[in-house]
Amino acid sequence: MTLASLQLLSPPFVTPPFTLLAKNAGFRLGNFLPIAVLAAVAAELVAFGVHCQAADAKKNGNVSFRQGDVTLTASRSPASSPAAAAAPDPADALAMPPGAMPNKSGSPSDLEDLAEKKQTLEGEVRYAKAKLDAAQKQFAIQTAAGDLEKAEHLGEEVKDWQARFDAKKAELDEVQRQISDSSQGTKGAGVDEVVVPGENLEVFVNEDPSFNGIYQVRRGGYIIMPQVGRIAVAGKTLSAAEAAVKRALQSSQLRNASVMIERKQGADVENGPLIYLSGEFRDPRPWHIPQGVTPTLVNVILSSGGVSDKADLTRVRVMRIAANKSVVEEVNVEKILQGGGLTSDLTLGEGDVIMIPAGPANLVYITGNVVHQGSFPLKQGERISAYAAILQNGGFARFADQRGVYILRALPDGTKAKLPVDINAIKKGQRPDVQVQSNDIIVVPEKWISW
């Protein structure tokens, strides 16, 4: 019997030729064959059995058997199907390197993180710019004064702040680019529910309609709500933005807040970055930063229409966000306007708030032997002499001692100085008249002897 004829039979009915030989010879292989020969015979028997089973599978079709841990089949392999070839294996996806994973840029969490990072960097850039400007001004002053040692030290400081400013500005530009790319990716993906910078949102608060209005989503990814401040909404769905506004209102303004937000088509508010003016401005309002202009505290006050008569320019406060914290800086603007402390002028940025408090009443008081005792207002920048002030209030009474007139003036240490004003000498041109200041008291005594 040949091997070819044996392959036509099923394995259970096939007796291997080696077994037949052993039976016919009447001896046991283990008695004569060495171990190596027995191992070779066993291997050949296994191969013979596998070969026979494969032949059966070919005849009958769709017969599966296991060889070790691998399953083989005579049916068509799924890998040969185009649809199966196109479908990725989940295990392969887990094994992919980070760079090959699906692109998730533009997700809401990414945009929110970028918006917070941008807000932090904007504060750091403004701070570095202010320090750089101050150092440059001091360097120019010391250079003009000829103090080379101080000028050299300040020159190094200028270089240091310039390097810091450039580094932070580069980081900010990169974050802005990422926000722009993420926003475009989000729009391209068709995620209409996600809020992106540049949109106008109409907010409704049932409990307090004063918060109702149209708010633009700024480049930093936030809206600015009066009495609340900045609220991050970019990268959120409308429902998540409503929840963020609700939390902000309940944290500082309302016990309970019911908030609804709708997209507003078109721009009903003027676009552009804002600075907020409050307090003793002539026209307190949001002030739009002109394109290409770097605003400072002094030029914003002057270009916005100035301040009221009650304004105290010695204690102007600027409130801003730096490193995710609220920072308040107090500046003596009056000193800057008088030519001193020029380096104290602050560079402002989007979202800053300028608060000008009301100072003590700018009044001049007149008492003693005058026709009309009382006070009159002294306007900002107005100059008037003691003699002119007395004449404006009706002049001297009958028994006025014009040689003994004096002014009581408050000093910074809390004491009062007595400034003599000899009206008779002033009339004759022998002495200059004295200019009065806010809160001065002009005293006109009575003569001891009157003719």
Side-chain angles (χ1 to χ4, degrees):
M1 182 178 294
T2 64
L3 181 61
S5 61
L6 286 173
Q7 290 177 353
L8 299 176
L9 301 176
S10 299
F13 304 99
V14 177
T15 303
F18 300 97
T19 305
L20 293 174
L21 177 63
K23 288 182 178 180
N24 295 332
F27 61 88
R28 297 171 59 187
L29 292 174
N31 295 333
F32 301 95
L33 297 179
I35 295 176
V37 174
L38 289 174
V41 170
E44 188 172 350
L45 289 174
V46 172
F48 177 74
V50 170
H51 184 74
C52 292
Q53 288 181 343
D56 260 355
K58 187 174 182 181
K59 290 176 62 179
N60 300 328
N62 297 327
V63 176
S64 299
F65 68 96
R66 293 183 61 84
Q67 181 179 356
D69 291 334
V70 180
T71 301
L72 301 177
T73 180
S75 62
R76 185 179 181 183
S77 173
S80 63
S81 170
D89 190 346
D92 293 340
L94 292 175
M96 291 172 66
M101 292 299 288
N103 184 14
K104 296 185 179 180
S105 62
S107 66
S109 59
D110 289 344
L111 276 174
E112 188 172 352
D113 292 343
L114 288 173
E116 292 179 0
K117 186 175 181 181
K118 179 179 181 293
Q119 184 176 338
T120 300
L121 286 173
E122 282 178 339
E124 293 177 355
V125 167
R126 287 196 298 267
Y127 179 76
K129 178 62 175 173
K131 288 292 188 180
L132 175 60
D133 291 343
Q136 288 174 337
K137 290 177 183 178
Q138 285 290 341
F139 175 74
I141 292 172
Q142 296 301 330
T143 302
D147 192 336
L148 299 181
E149 184 177 352
K150 288 185 179 179
E152 182 179 359
H153 175 72
L154 288 168
E156 294 298 323
E157 186 175 342
V158 168
K159 291 180 182 178
D160 181 47
W161 282 113
Q162 183 68 58
R164 295 188 192 184
F165 173 76
D166 293 341
K168 293 301 179 183
K169 187 68 168 62
E171 290 183 38
L172 178 60
D173 292 341
E174 175 61 21
V175 170
Q176 288 175 334
R177 184 192 64 78
Q178 293 177 9
I179 290 176
S180 177
D181 293 345
S182 297
S183 300
Q184 292 175 2
T186 300
K187 290 181 180 178
V191 188
D192 295 333
E193 285 296 315
V194 176
V195 177
V196 296
E199 285 192 287
N200 292 322
L201 302 179
E202 190 166 11
V203 179
F204 301 92
V205 181
N206 293 339
E207 287 75 12
D208 190 344
S210 66
F211 293 107
N212 294 354
I214 299 171
Y215 300 90
Q216 185 187 39
V217 183
R218 303 295 173 182
R219 288 174 295 179
Y222 55 84
I223 62 173
I224 299 178
M225 184 170 285
Q227 303 179 35
V228 178
R230 296 177 179 177
I231 305 174
V233 295
K236 301 178 185 291
T237 62
L238 288 180
S239 59
E242 289 172 350
V245 173
K246 178 179 180 178
R247 286 194 300 270
L249 288 171
Q250 292 183 165
S251 66
S252 61
Q253 302 298 321
L254 302 174
R255 182 181 298 274
N256 294 303
S258 302
V259 179
M260 294 182 294
I261 296 180
E262 297 290 340
R263 282 185 170 85
K264 186 69 176 177
Q265 299 298 327
D268 291 347
V269 295
E270 184 178 350
N271 294 331
L274 298 174
I275 293 174
Y276 298 88
L277 313 180
S278 63
E280 295 301 322
F281 281 91
R282 287 184 180 174
D283 184 14
R285 67 186 191 281
W287 186 82
H288 294 272
I289 302 176
Q291 187 174 4
V293 173
T294 302
T296 66
L297 177 58
V298 173
N299 67 35
V300 169
I301 292 175
L302 296 178
S303 61
S304 65
V307 298
S308 70
D309 294 337
K310 299 178 182 179
D312 182 4
L313 293 178
T314 63
R315 298 183 297 114
V316 177
R317 294 193 293 272
V318 176
M319 291 166 278
R320 54 177 43 160
I321 302 296
N324 290 329
K325 295 181 180 180
S326 179
V327 178
V328 180
E329 300 183 60
E330 188 169 293
V331 182
N332 188 342
V333 174
E334 184 173 320
K335 186 177 180 181
I336 297 175
L337 294 175
Q338 292 174 353
L342 294 176
T343 57
S344 300
D345 195 6
L346 289 181
T347 300
L348 304 179
E350 178 182 358
D352 287 352
V353 179
I354 304 174
M355 172 64 186
I356 300 181
N362 295 327
L363 299 176
V364 175
Y365 303 89
I366 301 177
T367 186
N369 279 265
V370 292
V371 175
H372 300 295
Q373 297 186 33
S375 63
F376 65 91
L378 185 65
K379 297 180 180 179
Q380 182 72 30
E382 183 181 7
R383 294 174 60 84
I384 186 172
S385 66
Y387 185 28
I390 294 171
L391 295 178
Q392 283 185 4
N393 284 267
F396 295 99
R398 179 178 179 183
F399 300 111
D401 182 5
Q402 298 188 19
R403 291 184 178 180
V405 176
Y406 60 91
I407 295 175
L408 291 176
R409 177 169 296 170
L411 299 178
D413 61 0
T415 61
K416 289 186 178 294
K418 183 177 180 180
L419 308 177
V421 183
D422 189 341
I423 299 297
N424 286 341
I426 293 172
K427 288 179 181 179
K428 296 176 182 179
Q430 297 174 353
R431 288 188 180 181
D433 203 350
V434 179
Q435 299 293 322
V436 297
Q437 298 179 5
S438 177
N439 298 314
D440 280 355
I441 303 174
I442 303 174
V443 181
V444 180
E446 183 180 4
K447 290 181 180 180
W448 286 98
I449 300 175
S450 178
W451 300 97

